[in-house]
Amino acid sequence: MSEMTPNKPYMVRAIHEWILDNDCTPYLVIAADFPGVEVPQQFVRDGQITLNISPGAVRELNLDNRWVEFSARFGGVPTLVRAPMSAIMAIFAKENGQGMGFDVETPTDPPPDGDGPDTPNGEGDAPKKPSLRVVK
């Protein structure tokens, strides 16, 4: 049996669509100190950043299987926001808090497309054990 791709990107996209279909505002919570994350640091609180990803707030939103990317204005300055899907902590509706939270695992590999910082040799070489977890 082949290893399946992570389900987090599919869940993030589905919850995002569900929030929009219900005329609510989708917010994304990102672990700001996760390798490969590019966010405006002045808005980071307690190691995380919460961002409005509604169509009116961002441009060119891309929620692919590896990365979340979009352009947004912070203090009037257009800024590219980029984060590995592994860094996503939650997606929720601003109006009622409904959504989904995710575990953020300690990174052992470089960011998925290799653009980020290199992992020192010897780290991340062991195969990962399969696991199940409860997603609330």
Side-chain angles (χ1 to χ4, degrees):
M1 181 163 67
S2 63
E3 187 173 326
M4 293 181 66
T5 59
N7 65 5
K8 184 190 274 189
Y10 298 92
M11 299 304 292
V12 169
R13 287 191 293 267
I15 300 294
H16 178 257
E17 183 178 343
W18 174 68
I19 290 169
L20 292 176
D21 284 354
N22 284 279
D23 296 320
C24 290
T25 311
Y27 272 68
L28 204 59
V29 182
I30 300 172
D33 53 0
F34 197 91
V37 171
E38 298 173 26
V39 295
Q41 292 299 309
Q42 67 269 33
F43 299 104
V44 172
R45 299 287 177 263
D46 299 322
Q48 64 189 40
I49 187 167
T50 303
L51 300 167
N52 177 348
I53 59 167
S54 68
V58 301
R59 293 187 181 270
E60 301 174 15
L61 176 64
N62 180 26
L63 299 171
D64 70 23
N65 286 354
R66 295 176 170 210
W67 291 92
V68 173
E69 290 182 308
F70 58 88
S71 178
R73 297 178 84 74
F74 294 90
V77 178
T79 306
L80 175 67
V81 174
R82 196 166 189 260
M85 192 57 75
S86 304
I88 304 306
M89 300 174 73
I91 183 167
F92 67 94
K94 174 187 176 187
E95 291 76 4
N96 57 25
Q98 291 190 39
M100 184 173 282
F102 304 98
D103 288 337
V104 175
E105 296 175 15
T106 304
T108 56
D109 298 324
D113 73 357
D115 287 277
D118 292 332
T119 303
N121 290 338
E123 289 184 16
D125 295 336
K128 291 184 179 178
K129 293 181 182 177
S131 65
L132 295 175
R133 64 179 180 259
V134 176
V135 180
K136 297 178 183 174

